[in-house]
Amino acid sequence: MSEALTNVAIKTSMGEIVLELYPERAPKTVENFLRYVKAGHYSNTIFHRVIDNFMIQGGGFDKKMQEKSTGKPIALEARYALDHDLKNEPGTIAMARTNDPNSATAQFFINVNDNDFLNHQILPEGDPVEYSRRGEMIKSSRAQALNATAGYTPFGKVIKGMDVVEKIKVVRTNGNSGMMPNVPLETVTIESIKVIK
């Protein structure tokens, strides 16, 4: 696929990460992310959730753990991305969201493992249906399964600075305690995110 790619640089307190974005494989998601980049939304935010062997998440909170205001959520493109061979693999960036599949705004995460269970799953016909949840086959109503298998939209990949991602993923965190778990004990700042190509 010949794609007009956009590169962005994430300047962090632990080094620089360069991403290649895929606007033809996740168009609305890339457009949304770049809107926040160009507005300077990510400057002086933090990586507020870090889980080794899973992902590092940021872009939603400032250094005082105050959540930043965002625009309207976007429609999920996980199925479209999967159809265009974009998966939640090591080094890919994806949009974070709530339990509502169409709730992504500004927060993103970088996968540090092959997180296949975060990809969209195509369900078999019928109701109830059987599907995989974190590698375990379960059965539920079609409506519940559609929500559980909606997936998360990857929209780019780290092309430089994966060593920085590796450093961030092993910072000490508050574990599974407190109002928000897995918060780094030493602040990891996103100083800026800028388009470089």
Side-chain angles (χ1 to χ4, degrees), residues 28-29 71-79 95-105 146-147 150-153:
K28 292 183 183 122
T29 307
K72 290 181 180 177
I74 59 168
L76 185 73
E77 292 184 298
R79 169 69 188 267
M95 291 309 292
R97 61 172 177 80
T98 66
N99 288 333
D100 175 358
N102 300 305
S103 62
T105 53
L146 281 168
N147 200 48
Y152 292 75
T153 307

Side-chain angles (χ1 to χ4, degrees), residues 14-34:
M14 296 183 80
E16 187 176 77
I17 303 161
V18 178
L19 301 167
E20 184 175 78
L21 306 183
Y22 305 124
E24 289 180 21
R25 294 190 263 178
K28 292 183 183 122
T29 307
V30 169
E31 180 186 14
N32 174 70
F33 180 72
L34 288 175

Side-chain angles (χ1 to χ4, degrees), residues 5-21:
L5 305 177
T6 300
N7 289 1
V8 298
I10 304 177
K11 188 180 177 187
T12 82
S13 54
M14 296 183 80
E16 187 176 77
I17 303 161
V18 178
L19 301 167
E20 184 175 78
L21 306 183

Side-chain angles (χ1 to χ4, degrees), residues 36-154:
Y36 286 105
V37 167
K38 290 169 184 173
H41 172 90
Y42 296 116
S43 295
N44 297 310
T45 57
I46 61 169
F47 281 102
H48 65 274
R49 186 169 174 237
V50 171
I51 305 174
D52 191 11
N53 295 317
F54 180 31
M55 56 92 230
I56 62 173
Q57 182 173 332
F61 292 83
D62 66 19
K63 294 176 189 176
K64 294 178 180 175
M65 284 298 290
Q66 298 296 311
E67 192 165 7
K68 295 192 73 171
S69 61
T70 61
K72 290 181 180 177
I74 59 168
L76 185 73
E77 292 184 298
R79 169 69 188 267
Y80 190 82
L82 184 65
D83 286 347
H84 292 82
D85 204 31
L86 259 181
K87 298 175 183 173
N88 286 283
E89 299 169 329
T92 55
I93 183 172
M95 291 309 292
R97 61 172 177 80
T98 66
N99 288 333
D100 175 358
N102 300 305
S103 62
T105 53
Q107 290 187 39
F108 62 86
F109 60 91
I110 298 173
N111 290 290
V112 298
N113 207 341
D114 186 0
N115 293 321
D116 183 61
F117 67 94
L118 296 181
N119 296 326
H120 176 82
Q121 288 183 56
I122 298 166
L123 293 174
E125 295 299 316
D127 193 357
V129 291
E130 197 172 27
Y131 62 94
S132 172
R133 185 171 67 186
R134 292 187 180 237
E136 179 187 348
M137 294 306 290
I138 63 166
K139 191 179 270 192
S140 75
S141 70
R142 186 167 197 83
Q144 189 177 354
L146 281 168
N147 200 48
T149 60
Y152 292 75
T153 307

